[in-house]
Amino acid sequence: MENSYKFFQNTQCEFFPCHKVEKVENFNCMFCYCPLYREERCLGNPEYVISRKGQRIKDCSNCLLVHQPEMYDMVIGRLQREDELLHIDLRKLKTQVKERLMQITHINEIDADMKYEHQINIDRILDGVMKDMSGSCAVDVLLQEFAPECICPGYFTFCGKKIECGILTQLDISLIDKGYIYAFHAPVVDLENTGSVLDQYYMEAFQVACIDVIRGWLQGYLERKNSVYEKKYCSPSFGPGYYGMGMEAVPELLGLMDASQVGVSWNGECMSPKMSLVGTYLIAGEDVFEIDSDCRDCIGHSGGCEFCIKH
């Protein structure tokens, strides 16, 4: 192959080729040091060894991915990504999911005997769903950062398009450092073959509980992520259907990211899968997110509610 912006060989290098290959003429030296080495989930399939200092490090001796000419575009595409893909293990959040599920279904408000029976059913459903989930029982979440210049009084603006969000009129946006858009969907369950109507009800409540718990987990994660050097605060999730953002914002927000990475899409009428969510979080150096509880379920009326009018 001839040298180009995608392919280069340094045959005079004392290590050339630095991996055992069958066709030396196709060995690409463009990425001499793998630019994806520091990524926990890179494109390759590395092995891990323990160094003499006791550190777990990658051993890429058997990985040829970045040296294959046809992989250039994929590597560059990965480097140009501005999003973050999280894998949240629901097994580690099982207690929180169960607690939220019991709140949603009001089980704690019934008499002791019935409560015990319903708790057994909930445990059975939780164990069954997590056992049936493929892989590591994880929910994938896509996060994408955006600049504070996108945050305006009463709306977000992306590429000249406004996304109304009433709660932004209640915040001191000058103190906000950045924001994040997120997308994910709840575990997909087979409601039609679940069994009784009560089991179906619990399964749907389980999906809602997962969404609520993951949103809370993300808020804590982003607060920790941005507080490495100094304390930062993360807002609740602001998104379509609450905190003054209308449902028409769903396709606008999804259009700003590649939500297909986490299996979320827009079919022209609604998100797919059914239990999908998209929204935003904001980060500030001060706790400016003390918000009136009435705003939490605001669906973004054009005229504003009495609270907005008064304030």
Side-chain angles (χ1 to χ4, degrees), residues 145 148 173-180 218-236 281-289:
E145 184 178 326
I173 62 174
S174 66
L175 298 175
I176 297 176
D177 298 333
K178 65 177 73 171
Y180 291 87
L218 285 172
Q219 183 180 9
Y221 167 78
L222 289 174
E223 193 161 292
R224 294 190 301 273
K225 174 185 174 74
N226 287 278
S227 297
V228 175
Y229 299 107
E230 58 180 325
K231 175 64 178 175
K232 298 291 183 179
Y233 298 87
C234 182
S235 71
Y281 290 96
L282 304 179
I283 303 296
E286 298 181 25
D287 190 2
V288 297
F289 303 118

Side-chain angles (χ1 to χ4, degrees), residues 83 142-146 150-151 155-159 161-165 168 179-184 215 237-260 262 264-266 271 276-282:
D83 51 34
L142 189 66
L143 283 173
Q144 183 171 294
E145 184 178 326
F146 61 88
C150 299
I151 307 166
Y155 63 92
F156 295 103
T157 177
F158 299 98
C159 297
K161 292 185 178 180
K162 290 185 178 181
I163 298 178
E164 303 289 338
C165 184
L168 296 180
Y180 291 87
I181 305 173
Y182 71 86
F184 70 92
R215 283 196 304 178
S237 170
F238 302 150
Y242 46 97
Y243 288 111
M245 185 183 293
M247 295 302 296
E248 65 276 5
V250 170
E252 298 291 344
L253 289 174
L254 285 178
L256 297 170
M257 61 196 320
D258 181 13
S260 64
V262 291
V264 176
S265 62
W266 175 257
M271 283 190 288
S276 297
L277 201 65
V278 63
T280 65
Y281 290 96
L282 304 179

Side-chain angles (χ1 to χ4, degrees), residues 24-139:
V24 176
E25 63 272 17
N26 291 334
F27 190 87
N28 193 358
C29 301
M30 181 65 70
F31 301 114
C32 178
Y33 180 88
C34 179
L36 306 178
Y37 181 81
R38 299 292 296 177
E39 290 196 18
E40 183 177 352
R41 292 182 175 87
C42 61
L43 295 173
N45 188 26
E47 299 175 355
Y48 289 87
V49 297
I50 304 299
S51 72
R52 60 184 179 84
K53 296 180 180 180
Q55 297 171 323
R56 186 171 180 263
I57 59 175
K58 279 185 178 180
D59 177 7
C60 304
S61 303
N62 297 319
C63 180
L64 297 173
L65 186 138
V66 298
H67 298 298
Q68 297 171 355
E70 65 273 16
M71 296 303 295
Y72 174 87
D73 289 333
M74 184 173 291
V75 173
I76 292 297
R78 184 63 170 261
L79 294 174
Q80 291 176 335
R81 278 179 51 178
E82 297 180 352
D83 51 34
E84 178 182 4
L85 189 60
L86 302 177
H87 304 271
I88 302 176
D89 192 342
L90 283 179
R91 291 172 299 186
K92 297 180 180 179
L93 299 174
K94 183 177 178 180
T95 300
Q96 295 95 310
V97 171
K98 180 179 178 180
E99 290 175 353
R100 181 59 183 143
L101 177 54
M102 293 181 68
Q103 291 173 353
I104 294 171
T105 55
H106 302 284
I107 288 177
N108 290 325
E109 300 174 14
I110 61 180
D111 64 77
D113 291 338
M114 290 293 293
K115 178 180 177 180
Y116 177 73
E117 183 177 341
H118 283 283
Q119 282 181 322
I120 292 177
N121 286 332
I122 284 179
D123 287 335
R124 173 177 55 81
I125 288 174
L126 282 175
D127 291 339
V129 171
M130 292 189 178
K131 181 179 179 181
D132 291 340
M133 287 179 67
S134 60
S136 60
C137 199
V139 170

